[in-house]
Amino acid sequence: MITLLVNVVGLALVCLIIWWFWINKSHVATIKIDNLIEIRVKDGVYQPSNIEAKINHPITLRFTRDDASPCAETVIFQSLNISKQLSLHEPVDLSLNIKKAGEYEFTCQMGMYRGKLTVK
Ligand SMILES: [Cu+2]
């Protein structure tokens, strides 16, 4: 009986964690940008992490890294073949003009920090 209870509680916890980290995150507000957006890199997240921009439109993502962990040092847009070094507490601009609609993920080297640029 105790075993069953432990299993049920454990399963509920696993579901909660999955919901919190994966499903819940997809509901993070999307910020629409016209030209410039400041993105803070801190405490394991990009903030904001859900960004929407227009197709064929020049935009600048200004990353400021306030996280000393070496993992936060590089931001990578894998599908665009872009990687950018972020020095501590110094804004780094990344200018883009994306010609193809889609979702472009950006991450740190190990994929722990995650963000998404949606182009439509
Ligand atoms: Cu990382």
Side-chain angles (χ1 to χ4, degrees), residues 31-33 51-55 57 59 117-120:
I31 310 288
K32 291 192 183 183
I33 57 167
I51 300 157
E52 190 181 306
K54 279 177 263 172
I55 193 165
H57 185 81
I59 54 165
L117 173 65
T118 305
V119 176
K120 5 178 125 162

Side-chain angles (χ1 to χ4, degrees), residues 21-96:
F21 284 100
W22 283 283
I23 303 168
N24 192 29
K25 272 200 178 147
S26 62
H27 296 292
V28 169
T30 302
I31 310 288
K32 291 192 183 183
I33 57 167
D34 202 40
N35 39 49
L36 178 97
I37 180 112
E38 305 209 24
I39 301 171
R40 197 154 289 275
V41 186
K42 206 183 171 195
D43 301 329
V45 288
Y46 295 113
Q47 218 178 22
S49 61
N50 248 340
I51 300 157
E52 190 181 306
K54 279 177 263 172
I55 193 165
N56 286 320
H57 185 81
I59 54 165
T60 300
L61 309 180
R62 177 167 293 163
F63 288 94
T64 306
R65 171 188 163 214
D66 286 331
D67 192 324
S69 108
C71 170
E73 195 167 58
T74 311
V75 60
I76 300 167
F77 286 76
Q78 191 137 42
S79 51
L80 297 173
N81 233 334
I82 293 171
S83 84
K84 201 95 176 163
Q85 291 294 121
L86 308 177
S87 33
L88 208 51
H89 308 306
E90 260 176 57
V92 174
D93 283 359
L94 172 61
S95 293
L96 297 169

